[in-house]
Amino acid sequence: MVTIKSDKEIQLMREAGLVLAKVHSELEQYVKPGISTYELDAICEKLIRSHGCLPSFKGYEGFPASACVSVNEEVVHGIPSHDRVLKEGDIVSVDTGVIWKGWQSDAARTHKVGKVSGEVSDLVDRTRESFFVGIKAAVAGNHVNDIGRAIEDFIIPYGYGIVEALVGHGIGQEMHEDPEVPNFTCARRGMKLRSNMTIAVEPMINMGTWDVAETDNGWTFVTTDGLPSAHYENTILIREGEPEVLSLLPEEKKFYGVL
Ligand code: MG
């Protein structure tokens, strides 16, 4: 179901988004060689609760942690583990969400661990950039497919693969609401975007093939060619003009030139 939020509900989603932005920002300092993905998740949960929010991922369809922590060839839904220890040159995506007074926010960042090779570093940067390109099309009156087309037009010239098995989504009191928001062009133009819809736009971009496989743990997706994958996500508010990004800090919005 697609939900159109009231101004009061949007204010609560703004507050949830600000907490999530702070959590991601505070977590970044811990991303270093030697830390395990288990430790990162534990810190993430502590940060979320320290802001008076609940970790929305914990227990979601049985997910065991507060953050999905996915390293290198892991695309999304990495399960935090004591055994997965970050090393110099890795990339790690942290996807997490919060609930504030019943309202959700969802965002992901991919971090570089120490010094990362040039081409992997480019993948991370271009994945993030594709989000900002995509949301330029996320305005009331456009259709959902306009977002995916913008991301695809930006990404494909680099020779990367866009993940098709997983997509962005509406968000509100539920973490996953309609509509689905693909990061690629579809045959159908999709639903018309309306003011006060809130959606999570989350390009998942692979260095090589678009193809991914689910692993034996029943959660984690990996690239089938073993090449790295990056992920970047924010919760946004659809408006008549450019959208408002709800899960960035004010200084980040200024840096990226978004509302
Ligand atoms: Mg999401």
Side-chain angles (χ1 to χ4, degrees), residues 106 169 176 200 202 233:
D106 184 6
H169 49 92
H176 293 122
E202 50 176 321
E233 173 183 28

